Amino acid sequence: MTMTFKEIKESEVIMTELMLPSHSNFNGKIHGGYVLSLLDQIAFACASKHSRAYCVTASVDTVDFLRPIEIGELVTMKASVNYVGRSSMVIGIRVEAENIQSGEIKHCNSSTFTMVAKDSDGKSLPVPGLILKTDNDIRRFAKSLKRIAMKRNRKQEFHDTDFISEEYLHIQELENVKIER
């Protein structure tokens, strides 16, 4: 099997959408859930463009809501493949909102999604490798490696505390919790 490689720019996707009142809460801010839906769509588009296959969301790794998005702002999402494994891809997404009247642009959200390429039977497919050309490409790739290691450690730590034992009863003294048996 011949390994293929793609430049990051070959898979980049940009989506722009006007934020409407139907996307907002009672305070005139856009619902985080609506933004998450848009993030999932662009992550799918970017991963599918890179792999030329149907992709599924394996995990939403980070979603940092930095600034609120207002009704009437033009939201632009930029997605790129930051890392690839055998069948998985880490997609980085930047969300900016533009006030159409003033032209002011603000960075509102940064997110990373892990997507997996699938065949018609639901089995994982190998994806093309990445050609890293710029310092920014290398930085994003390295940060993805660090996030993957942190995620693996977090899963192990959570698994290690996945039981009740006398060892954890001291939590009652440290936290605002009462353990009754």
Side-chain angles (χ1 to χ4, degrees), residues 44 47-55 116-119 125-127:
F44 168 83
S48 295
K49 187 175 180 181
H50 182 78
S51 65
R52 294 294 175 210
Y54 178 75
C55 294
V116 177
K118 299 287 186 175
D119 67 15
L125 283 174
V127 299

Side-chain angles (χ1 to χ4, degrees), residues 5 11 57 71 78 83 100-101 131 145 174:
F5 291 86
S11 304
T57 305
I71 295 171
K78 301 171 185 175
Y83 168 89
I100 296 174
Q101 294 171 328
I131 299 170
L145 287 173
L174 301 173

Side-chain angles (χ1 to χ4, degrees), residues 6-38:
K6 293 175 95 172
E7 290 184 28
I8 290 173
K9 67 180 180 183
E10 293 179 71
S11 304
E12 289 176 333
V13 175
I14 298 173
M15 287 175 39
T16 302
E17 184 170 332
L18 180 65
M19 293 297 105
L20 302 173
S22 60
H23 306 142
S24 72
N25 58 27
F26 295 111
N27 202 23
K29 312 295 186 218
I30 303 306
H31 284 289
Y34 184 72
V35 175
L36 284 171
S37 173
L38 295 174

Side-chain angles (χ1 to χ4, degrees), residues 8 13 39 46 61 64-65 68 87 102 105 108-109 134 143 151 169 176-177:
I8 290 173
V13 175
L39 292 169
C46 184
D61 302 319
D64 296 322
F65 292 98
S87 62
S102 71
I105 296 174
C108 296
N109 185 298
T134 69
K143 278 191 162 190
K151 187 167 140 181
L169 290 178
N176 188 19
V177 66

Side-chain angles (χ1 to χ4, degrees), residues 32 35-40 42-43 59-66 77-82 90-96 107-114 140 144 147:
V35 175
L36 284 171
S37 173
L38 295 174
L39 292 169
D40 195 42
I42 195 168
S59 66
V60 178
D61 302 319
T62 58
V63 179
D64 296 322
F65 292 98
L66 305 171
M77 296 174 293
K78 301 171 185 175
S80 64
V81 180
N82 291 348
V90 173
I91 309 300
I93 308 163
R94 180 182 174 94
V95 178
E96 297 175 339
H107 179 201
C108 296
N109 185 298
S110 289
S111 301
T112 55
F113 280 53
T114 299
R140 287 177 178 169
S144 294
R147 276 193 195 98

Side-chain angles (χ1 to χ4, degrees), residues 132-144:
L132 305 177
K133 292 190 121 183
T134 69
D135 288 345
N136 202 31
D137 295 346
I138 295 166
R139 181 186 60 78
R140 287 177 178 169
F141 187 87
K143 278 191 162 190
S144 294

